[in-house]
Amino acid sequence: MLGQFVNAIILGSLYLMFALGLSLSWGVLKVLNLAHGSIFMFGAFSAYIVTREVSPDIPLWVLVIFAAVIGAVLSVILQIFVFRPIMQRAADQHAAELAILIASIGASLIPIAVALNFARAEVVNLPMEITQTPIHKFAGITISDLQITIILVGILSTLALWWWVSRTQGGRALRTIAQDPKTAELLGIPVARMSALTMAVSGALAGAAGLLLAANSNAVDAHSGEHLLLKAFAVIILGGVGSIPGAALGAFVLAFAETAAVVFVGGSLRDAIAFALILVVLLVRPQGIFGEKAWKRA
């Protein structure tokens, strides 16, 4: 049971990093970026290309930073050349959100097509030097340095993002943009620049999470980000859109629920857990556990 507990913590950390970025862009910019999963995948795939073409001995921490940068760049490109023009030309907020949703679906196909073209296969493997890290055993628990890194990165990125949003001047600007972008612009807040920064952070979290998941599973799957979108929606709806503590709670609740389902029921019902949690929360508390007030009070 202790081993399953650790597995749930690792899974929850990966869900958290993936969902944090999506929750940030959705909560602040009202951008439901369905290309987030492809950005997640492409961060890992870019790291794979570097290890194949440059050197297989690149340290893991360097690859994590590289994947995060790739994710940030892709997200900023989407924001500047796709999402911002749509927002400026849309008749109203509802029309903008719908157009962005459709555009992000189309944009998500581009990284997948590039990955399939370069790799000639849906699944490729990272070098063994990266995926095989020292293993520690104590109290009946087996955990590797890579898995410890996943947990630490998940926790530290959450704390850093919470501190940025709730304790800095930039975070106050983000909360103002989340409430009313037009008023924020009148107050002198550089909305365009802050929006690009928000998307950069969102993409960086996705890229780093993609590389860590690929290293943990020893595979880079061109479609790996697609099924995680459902999990991210479950996490965000559980915790509340835009809520960083809510995303943390939702990620680990979902991870523990899935792990329990695998142990006691069977792996076939694992994905059904996400659907069930979404339905229950929507029926009982549609705004999520923390709701939108997390942005107002942060």
Side-chain angles (χ1 to χ4, degrees), residues 23-52:
S23 180
L24 185 65
S25 62
W26 194 0
V28 175
L29 305 179
K30 305 298 185 289
V31 170
L32 183 52
N33 180 17
L34 295 186
H36 195 72
S38 294
I39 293 170
F40 166 91
M41 176 278 301
F42 204 75
F45 183 79
S46 300
Y48 158 74
I49 292 295
V50 169
T51 59
R52 189 185 71 178

PDB file of all heavy atoms in Angstrom, residues 23-52:
ATOM      1  N   SER A  23      -4.938  25.696 -16.319  1.00  0.00           N
ATOM      2  CA  SER A  23      -5.770  26.466 -15.392  1.00  0.00           C
ATOM      3  C   SER A  23      -5.362  27.935 -15.388  1.00  0.00           C
ATOM      4  O   SER A  23      -6.212  28.828 -15.289  1.00  0.00           O
ATOM      5  CB  SER A  23      -5.646  25.880 -13.983  1.00  0.00           C
ATOM      6  OG  SER A  23      -6.446  26.595 -13.068  1.00  0.00           O
ATOM      7  N   LEU A  24      -4.074  28.204 -15.502  1.00  0.00           N
ATOM      8  CA  LEU A  24      -3.585  29.579 -15.507  1.00  0.00           C
ATOM      9  C   LEU A  24      -4.099  30.345 -16.714  1.00  0.00           C
ATOM     10  O   LEU A  24      -4.633  31.457 -16.583  1.00  0.00           O
ATOM     11  CB  LEU A  24      -2.053  29.575 -15.491  1.00  0.00           C
ATOM     12  CG  LEU A  24      -1.369  30.935 -15.379  1.00  0.00           C
ATOM     13  CD1 LEU A  24      -1.671  31.577 -14.040  1.00  0.00           C
ATOM     14  CD2 LEU A  24       0.137  30.781 -15.563  1.00  0.00           C
ATOM     15  N   SER A  25      -3.953  29.774 -17.907  1.00  0.00           N
ATOM     16  CA  SER A  25      -4.412  30.467 -19.116  1.00  0.00           C
ATOM     17  C   SER A  25      -5.931  30.582 -19.150  1.00  0.00           C
ATOM     18  O   SER A  25      -6.482  31.598 -19.591  1.00  0.00           O
ATOM     19  CB  SER A  25      -3.920  29.740 -20.364  1.00  0.00           C
ATOM     20  OG  SER A  25      -4.452  28.427 -20.434  1.00  0.00           O
ATOM     21  N   TRP A  26      -6.611  29.573 -18.664  1.00  0.00           N
ATOM     22  CA  TRP A  26      -8.081  29.573 -18.643  1.00  0.00           C
ATOM     23  C   TRP A  26      -8.609  30.572 -17.605  1.00  0.00           C
ATOM     24  O   TRP A  26      -9.525  31.350 -17.858  1.00  0.00           O
ATOM     25  CB  TRP A  26      -8.571  28.163 -18.331  1.00  0.00           C
ATOM     26  CG  TRP A  26     -10.032  27.925 -18.608  1.00  0.00           C
ATOM     27  CD1 TRP A  26     -10.939  28.824 -19.098  1.00  0.00           C
ATOM     28  CD2 TRP A  26     -10.748  26.701 -18.416  1.00  0.00           C
ATOM     29  NE1 TRP A  26     -12.172  28.238 -19.223  1.00  0.00           N
ATOM     30  CE2 TRP A  26     -12.085  26.939 -18.802  1.00  0.00           C
ATOM     31  CE3 TRP A  26     -10.391  25.444 -17.954  1.00  0.00           C
ATOM     32  CZ2 TRP A  26     -13.059  25.949 -18.730  1.00  0.00           C
ATOM     33  CZ3 TRP A  26     -11.364  24.456 -17.890  1.00  0.00           C
ATOM     34  CH2 TRP A  26     -12.679  24.705 -18.276  1.00  0.00           C
ATOM     35  N   GLY A  27      -7.999  30.579 -16.440  1.00  0.00           N
ATOM     36  CA  GLY A  27      -8.476  31.449 -15.380  1.00  0.00           C
ATOM     37  C   GLY A  27      -8.149  32.916 -15.591  1.00  0.00           C
ATOM     38  O   GLY A  27      -8.948  33.789 -15.228  1.00  0.00           O
ATOM     39  N   VAL A  28      -6.994  33.216 -16.168  1.00  0.00           N
ATOM     40  CA  VAL A  28      -6.576  34.614 -16.338  1.00  0.00           C
ATOM     41  C   VAL A  28      -7.035  35.179 -17.670  1.00  0.00           C
ATOM     42  O   VAL A  28      -7.631  36.262 -17.732  1.00  0.00           O
ATOM     43  CB  VAL A  28      -5.038  34.733 -16.219  1.00  0.00           C
ATOM     44  CG1 VAL A  28      -4.593  36.155 -16.520  1.00  0.00           C
ATOM     45  CG2 VAL A  28      -4.591  34.331 -14.823  1.00  0.00           C
ATOM     46  N   LEU A  29      -6.758  34.465 -18.748  1.00  0.00           N
ATOM     47  CA  LEU A  29      -7.002  35.005 -20.089  1.00  0.00           C
ATOM     48  C   LEU A  29      -8.314  34.532 -20.700  1.00  0.00           C
ATOM     49  O   LEU A  29      -8.667  34.969 -21.796  1.00  0.00           O
ATOM     50  CB  LEU A  29      -5.848  34.612 -21.020  1.00  0.00           C
ATOM     51  CG  LEU A  29      -4.441  34.996 -20.559  1.00  0.00           C
ATOM     52  CD1 LEU A  29      -3.407  34.524 -21.560  1.00  0.00           C
ATOM     53  CD2 LEU A  29      -4.331  36.496 -20.334  1.00  0.00           C
ATOM     54  N   LYS A  30      -9.011  33.619 -20.015  1.00  0.00           N
ATOM     55  CA  LYS A  30     -10.233  33.001 -20.556  1.00  0.00           C
ATOM     56  C   LYS A  30      -9.931  32.263 -21.852  1.00  0.00           C
ATOM     57  O   LYS A  30     -10.748  32.206 -22.760  1.00  0.00           O
ATOM     58  CB  LYS A  30     -11.326  34.068 -20.785  1.00  0.00           C
ATOM     59  CG  LYS A  30     -11.654  34.898 -19.556  1.00  0.00           C
ATOM     60  CD  LYS A  30     -12.190  34.039 -18.428  1.00  0.00           C
ATOM     61  CE  LYS A  30     -12.632  34.887 -17.240  1.00  0.00           C
ATOM     62  NZ  LYS A  30     -11.500  35.488 -16.523  1.00  0.00           N
ATOM     63  N   VAL A  31      -8.725  31.694 -21.934  1.00  0.00           N
ATOM     64  CA  VAL A  31      -8.277  30.935 -23.100  1.00  0.00           C
ATOM     65  C   VAL A  31      -8.271  29.455 -22.745  1.00  0.00           C
ATOM     66  O   VAL A  31      -7.446  28.998 -21.948  1.00  0.00           O
ATOM     67  CB  VAL A  31      -6.871  31.382 -23.555  1.00  0.00           C
ATOM     68  CG1 VAL A  31      -6.334  30.424 -24.601  1.00  0.00           C
ATOM     69  CG2 VAL A  31      -6.910  32.795 -24.101  1.00  0.00           C
ATOM     70  N   LEU A  32      -9.219  28.714 -23.287  1.00  0.00           N
ATOM     71  CA  LEU A  32      -9.231  27.260 -23.114  1.00  0.00           C
ATOM     72  C   LEU A  32      -8.389  26.666 -24.240  1.00  0.00           C
ATOM     73  O   LEU A  32      -8.873  26.388 -25.332  1.00  0.00           O
ATOM     74  CB  LEU A  32     -10.656  26.734 -23.143  1.00  0.00           C
ATOM     75  CG  LEU A  32     -10.839  25.228 -22.910  1.00  0.00           C
ATOM     76  CD1 LEU A  32     -10.132  24.786 -21.641  1.00  0.00           C
ATOM     77  CD2 LEU A  32     -12.309  24.873 -22.857  1.00  0.00           C
ATOM     78  N   ASN A  33      -7.117  26.493 -23.961  1.00  0.00           N
ATOM     79  CA  ASN A  33      -6.136  26.119 -24.972  1.00  0.00           C
ATOM     80  C   ASN A  33      -6.063  24.597 -25.107  1.00  0.00           C
ATOM     81  O   ASN A  33      -5.361  23.924 -24.354  1.00  0.00           O
ATOM     82  CB  ASN A  33      -4.776  26.695 -24.586  1.00  0.00           C
ATOM     83  CG  ASN A  33      -3.702  26.360 -25.583  1.00  0.00           C
ATOM     84  OD1 ASN A  33      -3.993  25.975 -26.712  1.00  0.00           O
ATOM     85  ND2 ASN A  33      -2.457  26.488 -25.178  1.00  0.00           N
ATOM     86  N   LEU A  34      -6.768  24.055 -26.083  1.00  0.00           N
ATOM     87  CA  LEU A  34      -6.747  22.609 -26.305  1.00  0.00           C
ATOM     88  C   LEU A  34      -5.467  22.151 -27.006  1.00  0.00           C
ATOM     89  O   LEU A  34      -5.279  20.949 -27.218  1.00  0.00           O
ATOM     90  CB  LEU A  34      -7.976  22.177 -27.107  1.00  0.00           C
ATOM     91  CG  LEU A  34      -9.322  22.379 -26.410  1.00  0.00           C
ATOM     92  CD1 LEU A  34     -10.448  21.783 -27.236  1.00  0.00           C
ATOM     93  CD2 LEU A  34      -9.323  21.782 -25.013  1.00  0.00           C
ATOM     94  N   ALA A  35      -4.602  23.090 -27.372  1.00  0.00           N
ATOM     95  CA  ALA A  35      -3.282  22.730 -27.895  1.00  0.00           C
ATOM     96  C   ALA A  35      -2.292  22.479 -26.759  1.00  0.00           C
ATOM     97  O   ALA A  35      -1.134  22.133 -27.007  1.00  0.00           O
ATOM     98  CB  ALA A  35      -2.756  23.833 -28.809  1.00  0.00           C
ATOM     99  N   HIS A  36      -2.744  22.650 -25.522  1.00  0.00           N
ATOM    100  CA  HIS A  36      -1.871  22.455 -24.361  1.00  0.00           C
ATOM    101  C   HIS A  36      -1.294  21.043 -24.337  1.00  0.00           C
ATOM    102  O   HIS A  36      -0.120  20.845 -23.993  1.00  0.00           O
ATOM    103  CB  HIS A  36      -2.678  22.726 -23.088  1.00  0.00           C
ATOM    104  CG  HIS A  36      -1.848  22.909 -21.862  1.00  0.00           C
ATOM    105  ND1 HIS A  36      -1.069  24.027 -21.631  1.00  0.00           N
ATOM    106  CD2 HIS A  36      -1.666  22.102 -20.780  1.00  0.00           C
ATOM    107  CE1 HIS A  36      -0.463  23.907 -20.469  1.00  0.00           C
ATOM    108  NE2 HIS A  36      -0.792  22.751 -19.937  1.00  0.00           N
ATOM    109  N   GLY A  37      -2.105  20.048 -24.709  1.00  0.00           N
ATOM    110  CA  GLY A  37      -1.624  18.677 -24.732  1.00  0.00           C
ATOM    111  C   GLY A  37      -0.531  18.458 -25.764  1.00  0.00           C
ATOM    112  O   GLY A  37       0.441  17.728 -25.513  1.00  0.00           O
ATOM    113  N   SER A  38      -0.666  19.088 -26.919  1.00  0.00           N
ATOM    114  CA  SER A  38       0.368  18.951 -27.957  1.00  0.00           C
ATOM    115  C   SER A  38       1.659  19.647 -27.538  1.00  0.00           C
ATOM    116  O   SER A  38       2.758  19.167 -27.843  1.00  0.00           O
ATOM    117  CB  SER A  38      -0.142  19.550 -29.271  1.00  0.00           C
ATOM    118  OG  SER A  38      -1.220  18.790 -29.777  1.00  0.00           O
ATOM    119  N   ILE A  39       1.533  20.773 -26.840  1.00  0.00           N
ATOM    120  CA  ILE A  39       2.718  21.471 -26.330  1.00  0.00           C
ATOM    121  C   ILE A  39       3.422  20.602 -25.295  1.00  0.00           C
ATOM    122  O   ILE A  39       4.654  20.511 -25.262  1.00  0.00           O
ATOM    123  CB  ILE A  39       2.315  22.833 -25.745  1.00  0.00           C
ATOM    124  CG1 ILE A  39       1.821  23.747 -26.869  1.00  0.00           C
ATOM    125  CG2 ILE A  39       3.477  23.478 -24.997  1.00  0.00           C
ATOM    126  CD1 ILE A  39       1.175  25.026 -26.390  1.00  0.00           C
ATOM    127  N   PHE A  40       2.637  19.961 -24.448  1.00  0.00           N
ATOM    128  CA  PHE A  40       3.150  19.009 -23.465  1.00  0.00           C
ATOM    129  C   PHE A  40       3.976  17.922 -24.161  1.00  0.00           C
ATOM    130  O   PHE A  40       5.104  17.614 -23.760  1.00  0.00           O
ATOM    131  CB  PHE A  40       1.947  18.423 -22.718  1.00  0.00           C
ATOM    132  CG  PHE A  40       2.220  17.205 -21.897  1.00  0.00           C
ATOM    133  CD1 PHE A  40       2.588  17.315 -20.564  1.00  0.00           C
ATOM    134  CD2 PHE A  40       2.061  15.929 -22.434  1.00  0.00           C
ATOM    135  CE1 PHE A  40       2.808  16.185 -19.792  1.00  0.00           C
ATOM    136  CE2 PHE A  40       2.274  14.797 -21.666  1.00  0.00           C
ATOM    137  CZ  PHE A  40       2.657  14.938 -20.340  1.00  0.00           C
ATOM    138  N   MET A  41       3.418  17.345 -25.207  1.00  0.00           N
ATOM    139  CA  MET A  41       4.110  16.288 -25.940  1.00  0.00           C
ATOM    140  C   MET A  41       5.358  16.820 -26.636  1.00  0.00           C
ATOM    141  O   MET A  41       6.425  16.192 -26.622  1.00  0.00           O
ATOM    142  CB  MET A  41       3.155  15.667 -26.969  1.00  0.00           C
ATOM    143  CG  MET A  41       3.770  14.615 -27.874  1.00  0.00           C
ATOM    144  SD  MET A  41       4.688  15.242 -29.322  1.00  0.00           S
ATOM    145  CE  MET A  41       3.417  16.165 -30.177  1.00  0.00           C
ATOM    146  N   PHE A  42       5.261  18.007 -27.250  1.00  0.00           N
ATOM    147  CA  PHE A  42       6.355  18.497 -28.079  1.00  0.00           C
ATOM    148  C   PHE A  42       7.557  18.910 -27.241  1.00  0.00           C
ATOM    149  O   PHE A  42       8.683  18.878 -27.736  1.00  0.00           O
ATOM    150  CB  PHE A  42       5.885  19.668 -28.934  1.00  0.00           C
ATOM    151  CG  PHE A  42       6.707  19.862 -30.168  1.00  0.00           C
ATOM    152  CD1 PHE A  42       6.574  19.008 -31.248  1.00  0.00           C
ATOM    153  CD2 PHE A  42       7.632  20.895 -30.258  1.00  0.00           C
ATOM    154  CE1 PHE A  42       7.352  19.165 -32.383  1.00  0.00           C
ATOM    155  CE2 PHE A  42       8.396  21.065 -31.389  1.00  0.00           C
ATOM    156  CZ  PHE A  42       8.261  20.200 -32.461  1.00  0.00           C
ATOM    157  N   GLY A  43       7.335  19.284 -25.980  1.00  0.00           N
ATOM    158  CA  GLY A  43       8.471  19.550 -25.106  1.00  0.00           C
ATOM    159  C   GLY A  43       9.323  18.306 -24.948  1.00  0.00           C
ATOM    160  O   GLY A  43      10.553  18.360 -25.057  1.00  0.00           O
ATOM    161  N   ALA A  44       8.667  17.170 -24.715  1.00  0.00           N
ATOM    162  CA  ALA A  44       9.397  15.904 -24.585  1.00  0.00           C
ATOM    163  C   ALA A  44      10.014  15.483 -25.912  1.00  0.00           C
ATOM    164  O   ALA A  44      11.155  15.002 -25.953  1.00  0.00           O
ATOM    165  CB  ALA A  44       8.450  14.818 -24.072  1.00  0.00           C
ATOM    166  N   PHE A  45       9.277  15.667 -27.002  1.00  0.00           N
ATOM    167  CA  PHE A  45       9.783  15.244 -28.306  1.00  0.00           C
ATOM    168  C   PHE A  45      11.004  16.071 -28.708  1.00  0.00           C
ATOM    169  O   PHE A  45      11.961  15.530 -29.279  1.00  0.00           O
ATOM    170  CB  PHE A  45       8.691  15.368 -29.363  1.00  0.00           C
ATOM    171  CG  PHE A  45       9.113  14.885 -30.722  1.00  0.00           C
ATOM    172  CD1 PHE A  45       9.149  13.533 -31.012  1.00  0.00           C
ATOM    173  CD2 PHE A  45       9.494  15.790 -31.699  1.00  0.00           C
ATOM    174  CE1 PHE A  45       9.570  13.084 -32.254  1.00  0.00           C
ATOM    175  CE2 PHE A  45       9.903  15.354 -32.945  1.00  0.00           C
ATOM    176  CZ  PHE A  45       9.954  13.992 -33.224  1.00  0.00           C
ATOM    177  N   SER A  46      10.996  17.355 -28.421  1.00  0.00           N
ATOM    178  CA  SER A  46      12.149  18.212 -28.737  1.00  0.00           C
ATOM    179  C   SER A  46      13.381  17.748 -27.967  1.00  0.00           C
ATOM    180  O   SER A  46      14.496  17.737 -28.501  1.00  0.00           O
ATOM    181  CB  SER A  46      11.830  19.670 -28.403  1.00  0.00           C
ATOM    182  OG  SER A  46      10.728  20.131 -29.145  1.00  0.00           O
ATOM    183  N   ALA A  47      13.175  17.363 -26.695  1.00  0.00           N
ATOM    184  CA  ALA A  47      14.292  16.850 -25.907  1.00  0.00           C
ATOM    185  C   ALA A  47      14.813  15.547 -26.506  1.00  0.00           C
ATOM    186  O   ALA A  47      16.027  15.297 -26.535  1.00  0.00           O
ATOM    187  CB  ALA A  47      13.857  16.644 -24.462  1.00  0.00           C
ATOM    188  N   TYR A  48      13.909  14.704 -26.992  1.00  0.00           N
ATOM    189  CA  TYR A  48      14.316  13.455 -27.642  1.00  0.00           C
ATOM    190  C   TYR A  48      15.169  13.748 -28.878  1.00  0.00           C
ATOM    191  O   TYR A  48      16.202  13.093 -29.092  1.00  0.00           O
ATOM    192  CB  TYR A  48      13.084  12.650 -28.029  1.00  0.00           C
ATOM    193  CG  TYR A  48      13.329  11.650 -29.138  1.00  0.00           C
ATOM    194  CD1 TYR A  48      14.028  10.469 -28.903  1.00  0.00           C
ATOM    195  CD2 TYR A  48      12.883  11.910 -30.446  1.00  0.00           C
ATOM    196  CE1 TYR A  48      14.267   9.566 -29.924  1.00  0.00           C
ATOM    197  CE2 TYR A  48      13.120  11.009 -31.469  1.00  0.00           C
ATOM    198  CZ  TYR A  48      13.807   9.841 -31.208  1.00  0.00           C
ATOM    199  OH  TYR A  48      14.052   8.961 -32.221  1.00  0.00           O
ATOM    200  N   ILE A  49      14.770  14.721 -29.693  1.00  0.00           N
ATOM    201  CA  ILE A  49      15.536  15.078 -30.891  1.00  0.00           C
ATOM    202  C   ILE A  49      16.938  15.545 -30.516  1.00  0.00           C
ATOM    203  O   ILE A  49      17.936  15.183 -31.169  1.00  0.00           O
ATOM    204  CB  ILE A  49      14.800  16.176 -31.689  1.00  0.00           C
ATOM    205  CG1 ILE A  49      13.510  15.621 -32.301  1.00  0.00           C
ATOM    206  CG2 ILE A  49      15.702  16.756 -32.774  1.00  0.00           C
ATOM    207  CD1 ILE A  49      13.720  14.553 -33.333  1.00  0.00           C
ATOM    208  N   VAL A  50      17.031  16.332 -29.437  1.00  0.00           N
ATOM    209  CA  VAL A  50      18.341  16.832 -28.998  1.00  0.00           C
ATOM    210  C   VAL A  50      19.232  15.672 -28.557  1.00  0.00           C
ATOM    211  O   VAL A  50      20.418  15.616 -28.903  1.00  0.00           O
ATOM    212  CB  VAL A  50      18.168  17.851 -27.852  1.00  0.00           C
ATOM    213  CG1 VAL A  50      19.510  18.174 -27.209  1.00  0.00           C
ATOM    214  CG2 VAL A  50      17.522  19.120 -28.370  1.00  0.00           C
ATOM    215  N   THR A  51      18.679  14.732 -27.808  1.00  0.00           N
ATOM    216  CA  THR A  51      19.493  13.587 -27.369  1.00  0.00           C
ATOM    217  C   THR A  51      19.895  12.704 -28.533  1.00  0.00           C
ATOM    218  O   THR A  51      20.956  12.074 -28.507  1.00  0.00           O
ATOM    219  CB  THR A  51      18.722  12.744 -26.334  1.00  0.00           C
ATOM    220  OG1 THR A  51      17.490  12.269 -26.911  1.00  0.00           O
ATOM    221  CG2 THR A  51      18.417  13.558 -25.093  1.00  0.00           C
ATOM    222  N   ARG A  52      19.082  12.659 -29.568  1.00  0.00           N
ATOM    223  CA  ARG A  52      19.396  11.830 -30.731  1.00  0.00           C
ATOM    224  C   ARG A  52      20.423  12.491 -31.627  1.00  0.00           C
ATOM    225  O   ARG A  52      21.334  11.828 -32.157  1.00  0.00           O
ATOM    226  CB  ARG A  52      18.120  11.542 -31.535  1.00  0.00           C
ATOM    227  CG  ARG A  52      18.314  10.518 -32.649  1.00  0.00           C
ATOM    228  CD  ARG A  52      17.057  10.354 -33.477  1.00  0.00           C
ATOM    229  NE  ARG A  52      16.795  11.537 -34.305  1.00  0.00           N
ATOM    230  CZ  ARG A  52      15.778  11.660 -35.165  1.00  0.00           C
ATOM    231  NH1 ARG A  52      14.908  10.664 -35.280  1.00  0.00           N
ATOM    232  NH2 ARG A  52      15.604  12.753 -35.879  1.00  0.00           N
TER     233      ARG A  52
END
